[in-house]
Structures are given as C-alpha cells and as structure tokens.
Amino acid sequence: MTMIQQVHRHRYRSLLAVTAALTACGIGTGSQTLLVTAVVPLLFVLQDALATKPSLTNQLSVERKLSPEAPLPGQPVSVTLTIMNTGDSTIPDLRVADGVPTELGTIGGDPRASAILRAGQKLTVNYSVNTNRGTYEFDPVQVRARNRSGTIMIESKIAPSGQSSLESRVSVDDIPLSNQTMNITGPVTTETGGSGIEFYATREYQTGDPIGRINWNQYAKTGQLSTIEYHEQRAVRIAIIIDSRVSAHVSSQPSLPTGATLCAYAATLSISVLLDEGHTLTIVALGTPDPIRSDPPPAHASTDEETAFGAHAAMICNAAATGSDEMMTNTDTDTDTSAVAGDGGIVDQHRLLSRLDSNEQVLFCTPALDDAAVSIAQSIRADGHELTVLSPQISNSDIGGRIAHLNRTNRLFRIRRLGGTIVDWKRNETLPIALSRALRDINSQ
C-alpha cells in the first residue's frame, strides 16, 4: 500500500477574512454591534486553529481483491476492498471510494462507503463490475477523513495492495488442452445394454464377460451364471457455433460486452464442460477468419481432426470476441440484414454446413440481431441437425432498445417454430444458469 498524497482542508479558515472585515468596520465606525458580531466567526476560526489535524499516515491499511483475477469477456468480477485502521486512535468520519475504471460498469454493490473506524477495526466494501475484452487499470482509492469536530478534513489517495488491474480475454488455459477419448462412454443414456451405471437387464453368461458384471446373488441362489447389463452411456457429437458476424458486434453501452463477446464467452465455458463429459466437439465462428490457418470465415476446429483442439478453440473464441474496431458500434435499433450479407449469407452458410457432421447436434450462440440468424438456424434444421439456440439479451430499456428487443423476440419465436430449442439469456441472469439449461436440453436430445 502506498500513500500518494495527503491534503488538509480547514472548514472555517475562510471566516478569518470575515472576522477581520467586521472588526475593522466596527473599530472604524465605533459600532459595538459589529464588534460583537465579529466574535461569532472568530470563535469558529479559533476552533479550527486549535483543532488537532487528522493524519492518515501509517493509519490505514488498504487491500483490493478481484475474483476472478482474469475473467472471460462478459464475466462479472467481484471486487472486495478492505480498509483497516492500523493506528491507535479512532477515525470519527472516514469515507472511501474505489477507483473503478471508467470503461467498466458497476452491476452490483457500491464502490463507496463511510464509517466510524475504531483502532483495529475493518471496513469492507463489496461490489461487482461487468467486464469487456481488454486490460483495465484501477485508480487509487480516494479517502476522506474528518476530525471529531468536523472542522478539518484530510483528503488522500492510496494505492492499495493486492490487484490493481484485470485482463479480460479468452486464453488457451481456459480450455482443456488434452485431446480426450470420445468413443467409449458419455452422459447420454441409451436404450441398449452394455457398460454404464443404470441397471438395464440380465442375460445368460457368455465366455469373456467381465467378472464384475456377473450376478453373484443369482449364482448363490440357483447355481447359474448370468451377466448384468446397464443402460449404455454414449457420448454425442456437438457443434458449437458462435455468431461473430458484423451484426453481432454491438452493445447497448460502451462499458458492456458486445453480443459476439457474450457468445464467445458462452462457447468457451461450453467447450470446457462438454469436453469433461466426453463429447466429440466442433467449434465454428461465423464471420471470423481462422486465426491459425488464415482460412476465410467461418473459423473452425474439431476434436476429430486436432490433438491441440483446446489451443485452437481458445484462439477462435478470442478472435470471435475481439472482432474489429469498426464492429464496435452502439446500437439500439434493428440491424439491416443486407449489411451483413457478405459474411452471414449464402456462402457462409454453405461453408458452415460443410463443417458439420451429419449426426451432430448444434448449440448456436447468437444475439439474433438480424434475420440472417434465422436463416442460418433454418439451414441447420433443414440439414437434419438438432438445434439449441443460446441467445444473450443486449438491448436497453429505452424506446430503440424495446423495438430491437421485440424484433429479437420475433426472430427467436420463428426459430422455435423451426423446431429449435431456445434458451433466452436475460441480462440479469448469470451465464452458468442459462448455460446449464442449454446443455441440459442438448443432453436430453
């Protein structure tokens, strides 16, 4: 912790000039009333002069903690600011304000607090911020303290210990790098017998059956060997599609993530969960060139093709979240479909479908801000794929935002009529909750 500056401000020092003026006028005019009146501000001036100056030097210990320290784009970050009075005296009026980066928006709690802080006591400030892609530096903590009479105030800036910056990005470490075995078991229960955990049936023992699956209870009763079969657990093939076309790279406020950033965030967590469950995965980013092969959009990677799938997938998610500076424009109104025909139209859809296996289920992450999103969903369904759409809501509550929200709702309704499952990720809902609903729908298909 570092004390950057310390400034004392006397509340009543300005009354010294008033006292001198009243005294001079009283003497000059011989008016006792003015002389008596001059006594009032004089008392405040004397109180200010005789008051003990507060000091924060070696008096406060300030620490800032961020959780998580390196969030994914769109992931909320909890900030805990702890101020401890390490001195021997009470601070009768302490006010603190954390230096939140101007680019970040506070979504919960308050970075400001006040308290009477006795020796050895702590003041804890908790709040949370929403993150966009990039690196953000926190400013020093602003501290104000007054003496008991309130006549003298001290202002200070303190650089706290702990974290002073955060970086929001999709890194290689966010996705497991090992190429997992996909063709043995998985979380989806089938109606065929085999290895698994849920009882299916018993059958006559056959040479070579595992000893662990022999029904020893029946053997003890009848002397006949039989084998227990379970509902076979199989992995499924899943394609995760990120809508990172031009139309998705918009946000309702500069401090909030774009629709494409939220979609990339959802895809990153989905990949981690689905890999752990043993599924075969394909990741596709619409409107994004491949960051490794420099192929034209859409970028793609598959566990069938690559041993370093995790690294490649992380780079695709990061590229999808980043976009270009021209894409980062604020919008509260509907997006013209023709404006995105170049990377969201027929050519892109043909390339997309060529990346998908015939029996793959599809998780399509899209803010659904144009009719091309519906067209893409229609092509996916027409190609015979089961479809789940995870759609983040990004519109404001003003008139333009409400119009955009109605248009988005209509598009999601049209996708639902195609046979797709819709998971509407509302702004006040955390991603893990919305994502759990989407993945539950995929595992049930």
Side-chain angles (χ1 to χ4, degrees):
M1 186 196 75
T2 304
M3 181 81 69
I4 297 178
Q5 66 178 23
Q6 188 168 254
V7 179
H8 286 86
R9 301 188 186 280
H10 294 258
R11 184 177 183 182
Y12 299 124
R13 180 163 291 180
S14 60
L15 295 179
L16 182 60
V18 177
T19 302
L22 290 174
T23 302
C25 290
I27 294 174
T29 60
S31 173
Q32 293 184 351
T33 302
L34 290 177
L35 291 175
V36 171
T37 303
V39 173
V40 177
L42 179 61
L43 293 176
F44 284 100
V45 171
L46 291 175
Q47 182 186 20
D48 193 344
L50 297 176
T52 303
K53 291 184 179 181
S55 176
L56 297 178
T57 305
N58 300 323
Q59 182 85 357
L60 292 178
S61 173
V62 184
E63 181 183 20
R64 182 193 293 120
K65 292 183 178 180
L66 307 178
S67 179
E69 296 181 21
L72 293 169
Q75 184 177 12
V77 175
S78 298
V79 184
T80 301
L81 191 68
T82 304
I83 303 96
M84 182 174 182
N85 185 350
T86 57
D88 299 327
S89 59
T90 298
I91 303 177
D93 184 1
L94 178 67
R95 304 181 186 188
V96 297
D98 200 5
V100 184
T102 56
E103 302 91 344
L104 301 181
T106 303
I107 57 175
D110 193 337
R112 297 165 296 182
S114 60
I116 299 173
L117 202 62
R118 294 178 174 83
Q121 283 189 338
K122 292 182 179 180
L123 171 62
T124 302
V125 181
N126 294 302
Y127 65 96
S128 56
V129 296
N130 206 350
T131 57
N132 204 344
R133 60 184 179 86
T135 302
Y136 304 92
E137 293 287 339
F138 282 77
D139 293 330
V141 179
Q142 294 184 345
V143 180
R144 290 183 179 181
R146 298 181 186 271
N147 59 359
R148 293 185 182 276
S149 62
T151 56
I152 302 177
M153 177 181 69
I154 181 173
E155 293 182 346
S156 179
K157 290 184 178 180
I158 299 176
S161 59
Q163 288 82 39
S164 60
S165 65
L166 65 85
E167 183 179 12
S168 178
R169 63 185 178 91
V170 179
S171 68
V172 173
D173 295 334
D174 293 323
I175 299 177
L177 297 181
S178 59
N179 189 17
Q180 315 222 351
T181 302
M182 301 295 176
N183 299 321
I184 302 177
T185 62
V188 179
T189 302
T190 69
E191 292 303 320
T192 59
S195 60
I197 58 175
E198 183 181 351
F199 177 79
Y200 177 70
T202 59
R203 60 169 173 80
E204 184 179 349
Y205 174 80
Q206 299 175 359
T207 303
D209 285 346
I211 296 177
R213 285 169 54 191
I214 294 177
N215 190 343
W216 295 109
N217 290 333
Q218 183 174 343
Y219 178 76
K221 293 178 181 179
T222 64
Q224 296 180 346
L225 287 175
S226 61
T227 300
I228 299 175
E229 289 193 331
Y230 301 90
H231 283 285
E232 198 169 30
Q233 303 287 114
R234 292 181 181 172
V236 296
R237 304 183 67 90
I238 300 173
I240 302 172
I241 301 176
I242 305 171
D243 190 351
S244 56
R245 298 170 299 117
V246 174
S247 63
H249 280 279
V250 294
S251 62
S252 58
Q253 298 177 21
S255 63
L256 295 178
T258 66
T261 297
L262 294 175
C263 290
Y265 171 31
T268 303
L269 294 190
S270 300
I271 291 171
S272 180
V273 171
L274 294 174
L275 279 180
D276 288 341
E277 291 184 348
H279 294 293
T280 301
L281 296 185
T282 301
I283 180 74
V284 181
L286 302 179
T288 300
D290 194 287
I292 293 181
R293 296 187 289 260
S294 299
D295 293 340
H300 74 284
S302 172
T303 52
D304 282 340
E305 301 173 358
E306 304 178 56
T307 55
F309 169 77
H312 193 181
M315 295 179 69
I316 290 175
C317 290
N318 193 46
T322 302
S324 62
D325 293 337
E326 290 78 11
M327 293 178 176
M328 306 305 165
T329 56
N330 187 300
T331 184
D332 287 325
T333 58
D334 204 14
T335 304
D336 184 4
T337 306
S338 62
V340 296
D343 58 9
I346 302 301
V347 174
D348 198 47
Q349 293 183 39
H350 287 169
R351 287 176 178 165
L352 165 64
L353 296 177
S354 69
R355 306 303 185 195
L356 304 181
D357 191 86
S358 59
N359 61 345
E360 271 187 313
Q361 298 182 31
V362 173
L363 173 61
F364 184 23
C365 301
T366 175
L369 296 179
D370 63 3
D371 289 337
V374 181
S375 177
I376 293 169
Q378 185 176 17
S379 297
I380 293 171
R381 289 291 295 142
D383 207 40
H385 301 280
E386 297 291 338
L387 174 65
T388 298
V389 175
L390 175 64
S391 180
Q393 177 183 331
I394 65 170
S395 299
N396 269 335
S397 57
D398 56 17
I399 295 178
R402 288 197 292 269
I403 294 174
H405 178 68
L406 288 174
N407 289 331
R408 169 180 170 273
T409 301
N410 178 59
R411 295 186 188 102
L412 295 180
F413 175 75
R414 290 159 58 190
I415 295 175
R416 185 179 287 111
R417 291 185 61 183
L418 295 172
T421 300
I422 303 298
V423 177
D424 191 356
W425 177 13
K426 296 179 174 58
R427 295 182 65 170
N428 58 352
E429 183 180 28
T430 60
L431 174 59
I433 295 176
L435 191 58
S436 66
R437 292 191 282 129
L439 299 184
R440 182 173 62 246
D441 291 330
I442 286 179
N443 283 332
S444 64
Q445 292 174 357

